[in-house]
Amino acid sequence: QVQLVESGGGLVQAGGSLRLSCAASGRLFNIYGMAWFRQGPGKEREFVASINWHFGITRYADSVKGRFTISRDIAKNIVYLQMNTLKPEDTAVYYCAAGGIASTNANEYEYWGQGTQVTVSS
């Protein structure tokens, strides 16, 4: 089993920044990809960013490219999402996910965190 715990969400004004963290624990030897997804009010869950755990290869949704950065600390088993120039449309619950492959597809991820709320005011 793998446990994922997100932190770092909160309320921020448009144009501001937040950094989300996802601490992973448990049986991590089969985890090769980690990602962030989000679900806004009345919206479907959508892909935000992913990272290959071993090689650090990253992918981003077009809506966040150039503003968000995903990174990982292998020694601490933590994945980060640095979010800059936040917009009201970034308001959502952000979820950390882990699985055997780095993918944009939520179905590829076996483990999920509980989510952390990000609210961007205009």
Side-chain angles (χ1 to χ4, degrees), residues 1-7 20-25 31 33-39 45 79 93-99 106 109-117:
Q1 283 290 339
V2 173
Q3 293 78 42
L4 303 174
V5 179
E6 302 104 331
S7 60
L20 305 183
S21 300
C22 173
S25 61
I31 300 302
M34 294 190 71
W36 290 93
F37 288 77
R38 67 185 182 187
Q39 187 165 14
R45 187 172 298 192
V79 173
V93 178
Y94 283 71
Y95 297 91
C96 177
Y109 294 93
E110 186 174 359
Y111 302 102
W112 292 82
Q114 79 287 352
T116 185
Q117 176 70 47

Side-chain angles (χ1 to χ4, degrees), residues 59-107:
R59 296 182 68 178
Y60 296 93
D62 288 342
S63 59
V64 306
K65 205 171 291 184
R67 300 188 298 123
F68 291 10
T69 302
I70 188 171
S71 62
R72 88 277 195 230
D73 185 326
I74 294 176
K76 296 181 179 179
N77 292 328
I78 297 177
V79 173
Y80 301 100
L81 184 68
Q82 178 66 44
M83 306 185 293
N84 298 328
T85 319
L86 282 161
K87 305 175 181 180
E89 51 263 44
D90 294 319
T91 295
V93 178
Y94 283 71
Y95 297 91
C96 177
I101 185 173
S103 171
T104 63
N105 186 346
N107 292 328

